[in-house]
Amino acid sequence: MITLPGEDRDLRAADEHPDRADRVRRALAAVLPEGALVTTPASVERYSHDEAEWAPYAPALAVVRPRTAEQVQAVVRVCLEHGVPLVPRGAGTGLSGGANATAASVVVSLEAMDAVLEINTVERYAVVQPGVINDDLRAAVAEQGLWYPPDPASSPWSTLGGNVATNAGGVCCVKYGVTGDYVLGLQVVTGTGELVRVGRKTAKGVAGYDLTALLVGSEGTLGVVTEITVRLRPARPPEQTVVGHFASLVSAGEAVAAVTRSGVVPSALELLDRHCLRAVDDWKHLGLEADAAAILLARVDSPGVAGDAEAETIRAAFDEGGAVWSARSEDPQEAEALFAARRLAYPALERLGPVLTEDVCVPLGAVPAMLASIEDVAARYDVHIANLAHAGDGNLHPLLITPPGDEAARARAQAAFEEIHATALALGGTVTGEHGVGLLKRGGLVAEVAPAVIAMHHAIRVALDPAGILNPGKVVAEPEQEV
Amino acid sequence: MITLPGEDRDLRAADEHPDRADRVRRALAAVLPEGALVTTPASVERYSHDEAEWAPYAPALAVVRPRTAEQVQAVVRVCLEHGVPLVPRGAGTGLSGGANATAASVVVSLEAMDAVLEINTVERYAVVQPGVINDDLRAAVAEQGLWYPPDPASSPWSTLGGNVATNAGGVCCVKYGVTGDYVLGLQVVTGTGELVRVGRKTAKGVAGYDLTALLVGSEGTLGVVTEITVRLRPARPPEQTVVGHFASLVSAGEAVAAVTRSGVVPSALELLDRHCLRAVDDWKHLGLEADAAAILLARVDSPGVAGDAEAETIRAAFDEGGAVWSARSEDPQEAEALFAARRLAYPALERLGPVLTEDVCVPLGAVPAMLASIEDVAARYDVHIANLAHAGDGNLHPLLITPPGDEAARARAQAAFEEIHATALALGGTVTGEHGVGLLKRGGLVAEVAPAVIAMHHAIRVALDPAGILNPGKVVAEPEQEV
């Protein structure tokens, strides 16, 4: 099981060392403007965890809301001086506990650094502060005829800083790649308190190690991101939507494999099962049919007749997989409602009880086997599992939902969670496709990679954060805490 | 100026420590099969440098040609045990000296590990050994209806291992990205002699730090790559070619900026000046016209009428930039001859004298200014500079050619080289777009990034290669040797 970092440290909960806590708070207040330091317990509590309901957290010593990179740097230096860990966070929509506070830590919320600093239409890049909301950036660049593709389901709420920290995926990655594919450069405060720039603004560049790629997805353990330069694409043609209804999860999985074999790369290929559709409809009354065991939603975005041909190929692949009904959606409003249901599935299911979120990613050919195994696990462990998936990437999100307060169900869900990890690895997959390791998948990471690779993680971490203050215990546990 | 690593070490040229050299050779022979150890001076000399004629090198102690990952691991362990540096290399087509031998080093040639191990048409990836030639992989996957995009001009000769080590670019990167965008996973022998796998075979994955991206482009300083998994794309439609002739380099640069503004992303946008055309034609007699000061070669690959529209937009952009002549090439043979000239330009110019190769990459809007500055530098320093460029990326290759044996011309060329670096940085660019730092751009890297970023490089290097045996002195100089 997971132990929370900080439990074995000198520096326990703030109350146990009131003098030290006060000294740190005073030092933070001295380097921050009015209102940027939050210490009231109720407010601190709100900033102390992300959306991973199953991940532990501990009370932070303080929350800071810096407005400039120099203020972030000053905060890191205070933490270095006082030997206090810091936990960077964006909007807190993470699903692995990566932004959860550790005991007596300083939570660094980047939400107030929310300016789009530059949109360059000639070079096609944007420079943003880490607190910019994903959808806000997308809207801002769309006004200039440009497109920022990465679109996690959390895009109305999550920040670019959080997207970078987790290397967030999304619906259109199946054709256009993930956050890391768009990050050209970063400004970062390092573990030694330096404010540096890595990466570039040019189309290409290989001057030195790819520190940008190393920092993307490092979940705040190798530096605190204070500015992000992202590559943009020209706006794309309107998408067409194809819908398929399936009598079983496995036949939907067969249809995904058929799409892949067809050679057409869709711009979205999403799966929702009946539990997801029902939960969204009970909440939002969108008039969704939940007769099918699962639906697949595909989109294509090639222009003109090429797009028509692609849509038809995908519809045929759905039929080949055993669709009970398939159609190209001619009604943009209906198509939009279906994709809205996809985005709302997670919050809709959260209303039913604490959700433990899987994020396994398997080879496309293994999607039917993985879905069959999930159904089997749900039955054997008597756990309610709803399925949604970026099916075209093989990235599945079985959501394990337990009745509030039912500890026995919780224990069964934990065992089911671990069996799903093990099956994904046996099928050649990974324990996390896009949510990150955080706290919930530390054991999964150890199961996935060799001990020598874990040792490389530790070595890099010590190299870039010699004082061990950057989000300790996340991604890889402290060596003595290895799970 | 550049000092060669190893000069200040205990372990000097092999001859100075004959006992030690013999011990190392005997230890290597003991772990390698017959014929995999090369020690005759003439053969060792051939493996001791790449194509960067201006970069220094020193005699290696031995060359090894392992056939398996386990043999590579055994060689690394011998080097660790005896404290001997090792220099990994592929085909030796590098242009920065990254594969140049250091004194009394062991050169590890991966050329004999040349098997394509797997082509997976469902998941669209290939697994290859590092010695596979780029064009051979491209041909093998094409037979399965798939495409490996990265296409450096060296593709008929360079290996995937070398492409990974330098994060090689190429002609189609302008639309499809560079080598690193296609590397999913690696098998690597680490600096501590472990044989590990990093990365994945799935479409997505964020389990732990992106060690794959860190290793790509690290020029053999963080590990020796023994296997590569690359992402593939479906085969694409045939390309169309657009050609423009320009009366000056700068007007060709203006046309590049006009293409960018048009919003069309070409699948190639290459520039050759009259020196390149003339050198290729003198050598290969392709019947190329060298009347224009420069030509631009563009390709588009959208299917059907969309492709027609893109080609026409690019032709119009060429005219907007001031083309004296522009046309869509209807003759595939003519188009192929032009792109063959692009690939042959470098070897054709090498016939004229030692070539010092620039690799600056600047923002697209700065391409005209950069080209103007290069012309000015050529005149002021009295240096013969030929220009070829991945113009659509802003990645320019001014080639500084000096008469053999003319030391004064060589000194002028070195000064011109450094001024071109400085100008590229002043325009917001980088000193190396795709060739890597090696030895020739170590000073450029120090000029490009902050001292704290150089310190991050050293820290990561010490973390992953604590004994300092992996290609020492490349990319970043030893701290005491900082240029």
Side-chain angles (χ1 to χ4, degrees), chain A residues 14 123 162 167 178 213 306 324 326 364 385 405 412 446 448 453 459 474:
Chain A
E123 314 296 333
N167 193 8
V178 297
V324 294
S326 69
L364 295 167
I385 302 185
R412 293 197 306 276
V446 170
E448 181 167 334
V453 175
K474 309 297 169 58

Side-chain angles (χ1 to χ4, degrees), chain B residues 382-430:
Chain B
D382 184 22
V383 176
H384 178 37
I385 302 185
N387 277 285
L388 57 97
H390 303 302
D393 288 317
N395 185 195
L396 313 183
H397 296 311
L399 305 172
L400 295 76
I401 305 154
T402 53
D406 184 339
E407 285 305 313
R410 210 175 153 95
R412 292 197 308 275
Q414 183 67 40
F417 180 81
E418 282 160 23
E419 182 165 333
I420 291 170
H421 278 181
T423 303
L425 294 178
L427 290 170
T430 172

Side-chain angles (χ1 to χ4, degrees), chain A residues 122-124 196 202-209 211 213 221 260 263 361 363-365 393 395 432-434 436 445 457 459-461 463, chain B residues 122-124 202-209 211 213 221 260 263 361 363-365 393 395 432-434 436 445 452 457 459-461 463:
Chain A
V122 175
E123 314 296 333
R124 288 194 206 111
V196 301
T202 49
K204 298 195 302 193
V206 291
Y209 300 155
L211 299 177
T221 65
T260 307
C361 189
L364 295 167
D393 288 317
N395 185 195
T432 177
E434 60 177 10
L445 176 65
H457 280 73
I460 289 170
R461 192 160 182 167
Chain B
V122 175
E123 313 296 333
R124 289 195 204 110
T202 49
K204 298 195 301 193
V206 291
Y209 301 154
L211 299 178
T221 65
T260 307
C361 189
L364 295 168
D393 288 317
N395 185 195
T432 178
E434 59 177 10
L445 176 65
H457 280 73
I460 289 171
R461 191 160 184 167

Side-chain angles (χ1 to χ4, degrees), chain A residues 425 429-432 437 441-458 475-476 482-483, chain B residues 195-200 206-209 211-212:
Chain A
L425 294 177
T430 173
V431 299
T432 177
V437 175
K441 281 127 196 169
R442 293 193 308 179
L445 176 65
V446 170
E448 181 167 334
V449 304
V453 175
I454 296 288
M456 291 168 80
H457 280 73
H458 283 302
V475 186
V476 281
E482 212 81 299
V483 286
Chain B
L195 181 62
V196 300
R197 288 187 182 280
V198 298
R200 60 185 208 273
V206 291
Y209 301 154
L211 299 178
T212 306

